Amino acid sequence: AQSVAQPEDQVNVAEGNPLTVKCTYSVSGNPYLFWYVQYPNRGLQFLLKYITGDNLVKGSYGFEAEFNKSQTSFHLKKPSALVSDSALYFCAVRSYGQNFVFGPGTRLSVLP
Amino acid sequence: EAGVTQSPTHLIKTRGQQATLRCSPISGHTSVYWYQQALGLGLQFLLWYDEGEERNRGNFPPRFSGRQFPNYSSELNVNALELEDSALYLCASSLEAGATGELFFGEGSRLTVL
């Protein structure tokens, strides 16, 4: 069975500081990993994905994520947070031919 | 290129009524997913359709049902509405089931049950 954990309900960071939103997963087979962002009363927007290859993937709005197979993690990072990054972030996993499974979400607050 | 479109944007119903929500996927996408999101919380998986077939179903009662049409658009029906069905219903589409592509989400349909 596939599963995703986001151990922090809420992450607070000061504007200009680096941010990390954590994600760990469990899947049989090779994982396809995704990060999405959701602003209030909106649908989810795709940020980035890892399918294969380089463990560090870069995405939209300056976000990046590092795939760590041994730790089964896929943490989202950004070197310098903006107030406008404040939103709800979801990690998701799927394997070939299987359903997408989403984590519970982490609310990021960037304080000015 | 048009994204995933959902209708209606908002829907208000009373307990016991039926609601029908519609979704048009991105052109070329054959998989459609439905999720329920209550009060800005996590996504609860409802249904997954691919090539007209139901591929998977979440842990919801049978009064939640849907279908996918030959043009890959989809419909979610909720019968005998209950107050706790009030939520944002999100539709997403992707390329065929075996692909590595991401999901593309619509803006959602907000269902309010009074």
Short mmCIF file of all heavy atoms in Angstrom, two decimals, chain B residues 42-72:
data_model
loop_
_atom_site.label_atom_id
_atom_site.label_comp_id
_atom_site.label_asym_id
_atom_site.label_seq_id
_atom_site.Cartn_x
_atom_site.Cartn_y
_atom_site.Cartn_z
N GLY B 42 -7.19 18.20 4.41
CA GLY B 42 -6.57 17.31 3.44
C GLY B 42 -7.52 16.85 2.37
O GLY B 42 -8.74 17.05 2.45
N LEU B 43 -6.94 16.25 1.34
CA LEU B 43 -7.72 15.71 0.23
C LEU B 43 -8.16 14.29 0.55
O LEU B 43 -7.34 13.45 0.89
CB LEU B 43 -6.88 15.70 -1.04
CG LEU B 43 -6.34 17.03 -1.53
CD1 LEU B 43 -5.43 16.82 -2.72
CD2 LEU B 43 -7.48 17.95 -1.90
N GLN B 44 -9.44 14.05 0.39
CA GLN B 44 -9.96 12.70 0.56
C GLN B 44 -10.30 12.15 -0.82
O GLN B 44 -11.14 12.71 -1.52
CB GLN B 44 -11.19 12.70 1.45
CG GLN B 44 -10.96 13.28 2.84
CD GLN B 44 -9.89 12.55 3.60
OE1 GLN B 44 -9.83 11.32 3.61
NE2 GLN B 44 -8.99 13.31 4.22
N PHE B 45 -9.65 11.05 -1.21
CA PHE B 45 -9.85 10.49 -2.52
C PHE B 45 -11.24 9.87 -2.66
O PHE B 45 -11.67 9.10 -1.81
CB PHE B 45 -8.78 9.43 -2.78
CG PHE B 45 -9.04 8.56 -3.98
CD1 PHE B 45 -8.98 9.09 -5.26
CD2 PHE B 45 -9.36 7.22 -3.82
CE1 PHE B 45 -9.23 8.30 -6.35
CE2 PHE B 45 -9.61 6.42 -4.92
CZ PHE B 45 -9.55 6.96 -6.18
N LEU B 46 -11.91 10.24 -3.73
CA LEU B 46 -13.26 9.72 -4.00
C LEU B 46 -13.26 8.66 -5.09
O LEU B 46 -13.64 7.52 -4.86
CB LEU B 46 -14.17 10.86 -4.44
CG LEU B 46 -14.82 11.71 -3.37
CD1 LEU B 46 -15.32 13.02 -3.96
CD2 LEU B 46 -15.97 10.96 -2.72
N LEU B 47 -12.86 9.05 -6.29
CA LEU B 47 -13.00 8.18 -7.46
C LEU B 47 -11.89 8.45 -8.45
O LEU B 47 -11.39 9.57 -8.55
CB LEU B 47 -14.36 8.41 -8.15
CG LEU B 47 -15.60 7.96 -7.40
CD1 LEU B 47 -16.84 8.67 -7.93
CD2 LEU B 47 -15.77 6.45 -7.55
N TRP B 48 -11.55 7.40 -9.20
CA TRP B 48 -10.57 7.53 -10.29
C TRP B 48 -11.15 6.82 -11.50
O TRP B 48 -11.49 5.64 -11.42
CB TRP B 48 -9.24 6.91 -9.87
CG TRP B 48 -8.21 6.80 -10.95
CD1 TRP B 48 -8.13 7.54 -12.09
CD2 TRP B 48 -7.11 5.91 -10.98
NE1 TRP B 48 -7.04 7.16 -12.83
CE2 TRP B 48 -6.40 6.16 -12.18
CE3 TRP B 48 -6.63 4.93 -10.11
CZ2 TRP B 48 -5.23 5.47 -12.51
CZ3 TRP B 48 -5.47 4.24 -10.45
CH2 TRP B 48 -4.79 4.49 -11.65
N TYR B 49 -11.25 7.53 -12.61
CA TYR B 49 -11.71 6.96 -13.87
C TYR B 49 -10.58 7.04 -14.89
O TYR B 49 -9.84 8.03 -14.95
CB TYR B 49 -12.93 7.72 -14.41
CG TYR B 49 -14.15 7.54 -13.56
CD1 TYR B 49 -14.50 8.49 -12.62
CD2 TYR B 49 -14.93 6.40 -13.67
CE1 TYR B 49 -15.61 8.32 -11.82
CE2 TYR B 49 -16.05 6.22 -12.88
CZ TYR B 49 -16.38 7.18 -11.96
OH TYR B 49 -17.47 7.01 -11.16
N ASP B 50 -10.49 6.01 -15.69
CA ASP B 50 -9.52 6.02 -16.77
C ASP B 50 -10.11 5.27 -17.96
O ASP B 50 -10.58 4.14 -17.80
CB ASP B 50 -8.20 5.38 -16.34
CG ASP B 50 -7.14 5.46 -17.42
OD1 ASP B 50 -6.70 6.58 -17.73
OD2 ASP B 50 -6.78 4.41 -17.97
N GLU B 51 -10.11 5.91 -19.10
CA GLU B 51 -10.65 5.32 -20.33
C GLU B 51 -12.09 4.81 -20.13
O GLU B 51 -12.45 3.75 -20.64
CB GLU B 51 -9.74 4.18 -20.79
CG GLU B 51 -8.35 4.63 -21.20
CD GLU B 51 -8.31 5.19 -22.62
OE1 GLU B 51 -9.38 5.27 -23.29
OE2 GLU B 51 -7.22 5.57 -23.07
N GLY B 52 -12.85 5.54 -19.37
CA GLY B 52 -14.26 5.21 -19.18
C GLY B 52 -14.56 4.21 -18.09
O GLY B 52 -15.72 3.93 -17.79
N GLU B 53 -13.51 3.66 -17.48
CA GLU B 53 -13.70 2.63 -16.46
C GLU B 53 -13.35 3.20 -15.08
O GLU B 53 -12.45 4.01 -14.95
CB GLU B 53 -12.79 1.43 -16.73
CG GLU B 53 -13.03 0.76 -18.07
CD GLU B 53 -14.31 -0.03 -18.09
OE1 GLU B 53 -14.70 -0.54 -17.02
OE2 GLU B 53 -14.93 -0.15 -19.17
N GLU B 54 -14.04 2.74 -14.06
CA GLU B 54 -13.69 3.10 -12.69
C GLU B 54 -12.48 2.27 -12.28
O GLU B 54 -12.55 1.04 -12.22
CB GLU B 54 -14.86 2.84 -11.74
CG GLU B 54 -14.58 3.27 -10.31
CD GLU B 54 -15.76 3.02 -9.39
OE1 GLU B 54 -16.82 3.61 -9.60
OE2 GLU B 54 -15.59 2.21 -8.45
N ARG B 55 -11.39 2.93 -11.97
CA ARG B 55 -10.15 2.23 -11.62
C ARG B 55 -10.00 2.03 -10.12
O ARG B 55 -9.37 1.06 -9.67
CB ARG B 55 -8.95 3.02 -12.15
CG ARG B 55 -8.80 2.99 -13.64
CD ARG B 55 -8.38 1.60 -14.12
NE ARG B 55 -7.11 1.21 -13.53
CZ ARG B 55 -5.94 1.38 -14.13
NH1 ARG B 55 -5.88 1.92 -15.31
NH2 ARG B 55 -4.82 0.99 -13.53
N ASN B 56 -10.52 2.97 -9.37
CA ASN B 56 -10.38 2.86 -7.92
C ASN B 56 -11.42 3.74 -7.26
O ASN B 56 -11.92 4.71 -7.87
CB ASN B 56 -8.97 3.29 -7.48
CG ASN B 56 -8.58 2.72 -6.13
OD1 ASN B 56 -9.39 2.10 -5.46
ND2 ASN B 56 -7.34 2.92 -5.75
N ARG B 57 -11.75 3.39 -6.04
CA ARG B 57 -12.76 4.12 -5.31
C ARG B 57 -12.29 4.30 -3.88
O ARG B 57 -11.72 3.38 -3.27
CB ARG B 57 -14.07 3.33 -5.33
CG ARG B 57 -15.20 3.99 -4.61
CD ARG B 57 -16.44 3.12 -4.59
NE ARG B 57 -17.47 3.78 -3.81
CZ ARG B 57 -18.31 4.69 -4.30
NH1 ARG B 57 -18.26 5.00 -5.58
NH2 ARG B 57 -19.21 5.24 -3.52
N GLY B 58 -12.49 5.49 -3.33
CA GLY B 58 -12.11 5.76 -1.96
C GLY B 58 -13.15 5.23 -0.98
O GLY B 58 -14.17 4.67 -1.36
N ASN B 59 -12.90 5.47 0.29
CA ASN B 59 -13.75 4.96 1.35
C ASN B 59 -14.93 5.90 1.59
O ASN B 59 -15.00 6.58 2.61
CB ASN B 59 -12.93 4.79 2.63
CG ASN B 59 -13.70 4.08 3.71
OD1 ASN B 59 -14.63 3.34 3.43
ND2 ASN B 59 -13.32 4.32 4.95
N PHE B 60 -15.84 5.93 0.65
CA PHE B 60 -17.04 6.75 0.73
C PHE B 60 -18.26 5.86 0.52
O PHE B 60 -18.18 4.84 -0.16
CB PHE B 60 -17.01 7.84 -0.35
CG PHE B 60 -16.18 9.04 0.03
CD1 PHE B 60 -14.81 9.04 -0.14
CD2 PHE B 60 -16.78 10.17 0.58
CE1 PHE B 60 -14.05 10.14 0.22
CE2 PHE B 60 -16.03 11.28 0.93
CZ PHE B 60 -14.66 11.26 0.75
N PRO B 61 -19.42 6.26 1.08
CA PRO B 61 -20.62 5.44 0.91
C PRO B 61 -21.08 5.42 -0.54
O PRO B 61 -20.70 6.29 -1.34
CB PRO B 61 -21.65 6.14 1.82
CG PRO B 61 -21.13 7.52 2.00
CD PRO B 61 -19.64 7.44 1.93
N PRO B 62 -21.94 4.45 -0.88
CA PRO B 62 -22.38 4.29 -2.27
C PRO B 62 -23.18 5.46 -2.81
O PRO B 62 -23.33 5.59 -4.04
CB PRO B 62 -23.27 3.03 -2.20
CG PRO B 62 -22.82 2.31 -1.00
CD PRO B 62 -22.38 3.36 -0.02
N ARG B 63 -23.66 6.35 -1.94
CA ARG B 63 -24.41 7.50 -2.46
C ARG B 63 -23.50 8.47 -3.20
O ARG B 63 -23.99 9.40 -3.84
CB ARG B 63 -25.17 8.19 -1.33
CG ARG B 63 -24.32 8.69 -0.19
CD ARG B 63 -25.19 9.12 1.01
NE ARG B 63 -24.36 9.73 2.04
CZ ARG B 63 -23.97 10.97 2.01
NH1 ARG B 63 -24.36 11.76 1.03
NH2 ARG B 63 -23.18 11.45 2.95
N PHE B 64 -22.20 8.28 -3.09
CA PHE B 64 -21.24 9.00 -3.92
C PHE B 64 -20.96 8.11 -5.14
O PHE B 64 -20.46 6.98 -4.99
CB PHE B 64 -19.94 9.26 -3.18
CG PHE B 64 -20.03 10.33 -2.14
CD1 PHE B 64 -20.50 10.05 -0.87
CD2 PHE B 64 -19.63 11.63 -2.43
CE1 PHE B 64 -20.60 11.03 0.09
CE2 PHE B 64 -19.71 12.63 -1.47
CZ PHE B 64 -20.20 12.33 -0.20
N SER B 65 -21.28 8.60 -6.32
CA SER B 65 -21.06 7.82 -7.52
C SER B 65 -20.65 8.75 -8.65
O SER B 65 -20.75 9.96 -8.53
CB SER B 65 -22.32 7.05 -7.91
OG SER B 65 -23.37 7.96 -8.25
N GLY B 66 -20.21 8.17 -9.72
CA GLY B 66 -19.82 9.00 -10.84
C GLY B 66 -19.73 8.18 -12.11
O GLY B 66 -20.04 6.99 -12.14
N ARG B 67 -19.30 8.86 -13.14
CA ARG B 67 -19.07 8.17 -14.40
C ARG B 67 -18.15 9.02 -15.27
O ARG B 67 -18.00 10.23 -15.03
CB ARG B 67 -20.37 7.89 -15.13
CG ARG B 67 -21.26 9.09 -15.35
CD ARG B 67 -22.53 8.69 -16.07
NE ARG B 67 -23.50 9.78 -16.12
CZ ARG B 67 -24.57 9.76 -16.90
NH1 ARG B 67 -24.81 8.73 -17.70
NH2 ARG B 67 -25.43 10.77 -16.89
N GLN B 68 -17.58 8.37 -16.26
CA GLN B 68 -16.76 9.07 -17.24
C GLN B 68 -17.34 8.82 -18.61
O GLN B 68 -17.65 7.68 -18.96
CB GLN B 68 -15.30 8.60 -17.18
CG GLN B 68 -14.39 9.41 -18.08
CD GLN B 68 -12.93 8.98 -17.98
OE1 GLN B 68 -12.62 7.82 -17.78
NE2 GLN B 68 -12.04 9.95 -18.13
N PHE B 69 -17.48 9.86 -19.35
CA PHE B 69 -18.11 9.80 -20.66
C PHE B 69 -17.09 9.49 -21.75
O PHE B 69 -15.88 9.60 -21.53
CB PHE B 69 -18.83 11.11 -20.94
CG PHE B 69 -19.92 11.43 -19.95
CD1 PHE B 69 -19.68 12.30 -18.90
CD2 PHE B 69 -21.16 10.83 -20.04
CE1 PHE B 69 -20.66 12.59 -17.97
CE2 PHE B 69 -22.16 11.11 -19.12
CZ PHE B 69 -21.90 11.99 -18.08
N PRO B 70 -17.56 9.13 -22.96
CA PRO B 70 -16.62 8.81 -24.04
C PRO B 70 -15.65 9.94 -24.38
O PRO B 70 -14.55 9.68 -24.89
CB PRO B 70 -17.55 8.50 -25.23
CG PRO B 70 -18.79 7.98 -24.60
CD PRO B 70 -18.95 8.79 -23.33
N ASN B 71 -16.03 11.19 -24.13
CA ASN B 71 -15.10 12.30 -24.39
C ASN B 71 -14.20 12.57 -23.19
O ASN B 71 -13.50 13.58 -23.17
CB ASN B 71 -15.87 13.57 -24.75
CG ASN B 71 -16.70 14.11 -23.60
OD1 ASN B 71 -16.81 13.47 -22.55
ND2 ASN B 71 -17.29 15.26 -23.80
N TYR B 72 -14.22 11.66 -22.20
CA TYR B 72 -13.38 11.68 -20.99
C TYR B 72 -13.82 12.69 -19.94
O TYR B 72 -13.22 12.75 -18.87
CB TYR B 72 -11.90 11.87 -21.31
CG TYR B 72 -11.38 10.82 -22.27
CD1 TYR B 72 -10.85 11.18 -23.51
CD2 TYR B 72 -11.46 9.48 -21.94
CE1 TYR B 72 -10.40 10.21 -24.39
CE2 TYR B 72 -11.01 8.51 -22.81
CZ TYR B 72 -10.48 8.88 -24.03
OH TYR B 72 -10.04 7.92 -24.91
#
